[in-house]
């Protein structure tokens, strides 16, 4: 059986509490909790599955109720869920308290279980079989640096493309030794700066800084600002149109990765893949969840009609 995309990385519980009024530190604040399954690779995998891709998910998971919640969400999204189980451990979770305008007050990331996904697990028969059966691999920086380095080397040796999601400025540096083996690294400006060690005066100069670090292909998003993508020979940019309403920014970067990768695997040029990623992100921004359960190739095509042309830089 061939799997189009093997997704390896984070799949955990995301809890977000939003305060209704002005934030009062050290006091009880009226508000509301919202909980869903998230994680960079999980979000992107769900989007790719809804776009018609065959996706296998491999992620560390505990033997608790939260682990079953993740499994149920993966099944609903149509993923081939193959978790690495740690029955005596808790499934990772991220809990955030947000102000009324969405700014973060404080967050707690209980992600210790990801560290247990050691590099030696890449040598397991099931993992090697999954890699052999996949056309392309997608990973995120929730996993340990040594594991990501071994994964990158394994993909390179097997002739498999490897795309990666940065997750955060603190985590993206885990890809430092794997950069030359990555097909594409999805980043925002802060994450790109963590890799490059500096920020360019113009967004168009990101490719030069990142190529100097060994990265062959990547993208740098900046919210409503210019998005830059590059491969070994080309650079394309797009300035997304302002959206009338943004429901929640959670998962937008993962959606961009899914839309871009879906187009690239279909043979799209760099600029058209950029437009697909931009359209996919816009759909998620208009949705209160980290992924849009109604995403489909038809919905993506309708959103594409609203995306301006991308342009190549000489």
């Amino acid at each position: 059986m061939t799997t189009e995309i093997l997704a390896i990385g984070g799949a955990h519980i995301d809890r977000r509490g939003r305060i209704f009024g002005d934030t009062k530190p050290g006091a009880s604040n009226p508000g509301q909790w919202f909980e869903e399954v998230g994680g960079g690779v999980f979000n992107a995998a769900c989007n790719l599955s809804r776009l018609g891709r065959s996706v296998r998910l491999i992620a560390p998971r505990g033997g608790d109720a939260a682990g079953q919640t993740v499994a149920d969400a993966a099944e609903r999204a149509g993923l081939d869920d193959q978790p690495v189980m740690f029955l005596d451990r808790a499934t990772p979770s991220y809990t955030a308290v947000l102000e009324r305008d969405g700014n973060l007050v404080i967050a707690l990331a209980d992600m210790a279980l990801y560290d247990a996904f050691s590099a030696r697990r890449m040598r397991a028969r099931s993992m090697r079989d999954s890699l052999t059966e996949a056309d392309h691999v997608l990973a995120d920086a929730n996993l340990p640096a040594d594991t990501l380095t071994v994964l990158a080397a394994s993909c390179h040796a097997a002739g498999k493309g490897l795309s990666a999601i940065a997750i955060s400025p603190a985590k993206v540096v885990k890809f430092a030794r794997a950069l030359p083996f990555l097909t594409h690294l999805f980043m925002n400006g802060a994450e790109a700066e963590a890799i490059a060690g500096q920020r360019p005066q113009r967004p168009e100069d990101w490719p030069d800084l990142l190529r100097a670090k060994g990265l062959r292909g990547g993208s740098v998003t900046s919210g409503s600002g210019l998005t830059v993508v590059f491969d070994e020979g080309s650079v394309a940019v797009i300035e997304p149109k302002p959206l009338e309403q943004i429901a929640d920014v959670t998962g937008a970067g993962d959606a961009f990765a899914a839309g871009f990768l879906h187009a690239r695997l279909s043979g799209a040029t760099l600029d058209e893949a950029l437009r697909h990623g931009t359209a996919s992100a816009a759909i998620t921004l208009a949705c209160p969840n980290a992924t849009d359960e109604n995403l489909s190739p038809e919905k993506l095509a309708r959103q594409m009609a609203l995306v301006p042309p991308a342009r190549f830089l000489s």
Side-chain angles (χ1 to χ4, degrees):
M1 176 182 175
T2 298
T3 302
E4 288 184 292
I5 300 168
L6 174 62
I8 305 177
H12 52 254
I13 301 297
D14 268 346
R15 303 182 186 93
R16 300 192 294 279
R18 188 179 292 267
I19 296 171
F20 287 153
D22 294 334
T23 304
K24 297 179 176 59
S28 177
N29 289 262
Q32 185 177 35
W33 281 107
F34 175 76
E35 181 176 298
E36 65 180 336
V37 178
V41 144
F42 179 83
N43 292 338
C46 289
N47 287 324
L48 285 161
S49 178
R50 290 166 186 149
L51 290 174
R53 296 290 178 179
S54 169
V55 185
R56 176 173 293 176
L57 174 68
I58 296 179
R61 197 168 307 162
D64 52 7
Q68 186 59 50
T69 299
V70 174
D72 292 342
E75 182 179 5
R76 288 195 302 272
L79 304 179
D80 176 12
D81 186 29
Q82 302 290 331
V84 176
M85 298 296 297
F86 298 84
L87 296 178
D88 60 339
R89 302 284 295 274
T91 298
S93 65
Y94 175 82
T95 304
V97 176
L98 309 175
E99 293 185 303
R100 179 173 52 184
D101 60 4
N103 287 321
L104 180 67
V105 177
I106 193 169
L108 191 152
D110 183 1
M111 304 285 183
L113 184 60
Y114 288 134
D115 293 335
F117 197 104
S118 62
R120 67 179 177 81
R121 292 187 177 274
M122 297 304 304
R123 296 193 291 269
R125 176 65 180 270
S126 59
M127 185 67 68
R128 289 186 283 113
D129 288 346
S130 291
L131 181 61
T132 300
E133 294 165 3
D135 295 329
H136 193 88
V137 180
L138 176 65
D140 71 24
N142 280 307
L143 301 182
D146 288 347
T147 304
L148 293 170
T149 301
V150 170
L151 173 62
S154 298
C155 288
H156 179 71
K160 308 285 185 178
L162 172 61
S163 298
I165 299 174
I167 299 296
S168 72
K171 290 185 177 182
V172 68
V173 294
K174 295 179 183 179
F175 285 114
R177 289 180 291 163
L179 291 179
F181 300 133
L182 298 183
T183 305
H184 197 97
L185 178 58
F186 297 98
M187 303 163 280
N188 61 29
E191 293 155 355
E193 184 177 1
I195 289 292
Q198 59 181 308
R199 185 179 287 265
Q201 292 185 345
R202 306 182 311 147
E204 295 91 331
D205 295 329
W206 275 121
D208 289 339
L209 291 179
L210 294 166
R211 283 169 174 158
K213 296 297 181 179
L215 185 61
R216 296 182 290 125
S219 54
V220 184
T221 57
S222 56
S224 60
L226 198 72
T227 298
V228 183
V229 300
F230 66 97
D231 56 21
E232 291 180 283
S234 305
V235 178
V237 298
I238 196 170
E239 188 164 354
K241 287 185 177 180
L243 299 177
E244 293 182 2
Q245 186 174 1
I246 296 177
D248 197 318
V249 301
T250 305
D254 307 326
F256 177 92
F260 181 95
L261 184 56
H262 171 65
R264 266 317 227 183
L265 293 178
S266 299
T269 56
L270 187 68
D271 60 325
E272 279 303 294
L274 171 55
R275 294 185 67 243
H276 277 77
T278 302
S280 182
I283 290 172
T284 297
L285 287 168
C287 173
N289 300 332
T291 66
D292 185 348
E293 292 187 356
N294 296 315
L295 179 65
S296 66
E298 294 76 21
K299 187 168 186 176
L300 182 61
R302 291 194 297 270
Q303 186 66 39
M304 282 282 291
L306 305 176
V307 177
R311 58 187 174 91
F312 281 104
L313 301 183
S314 58

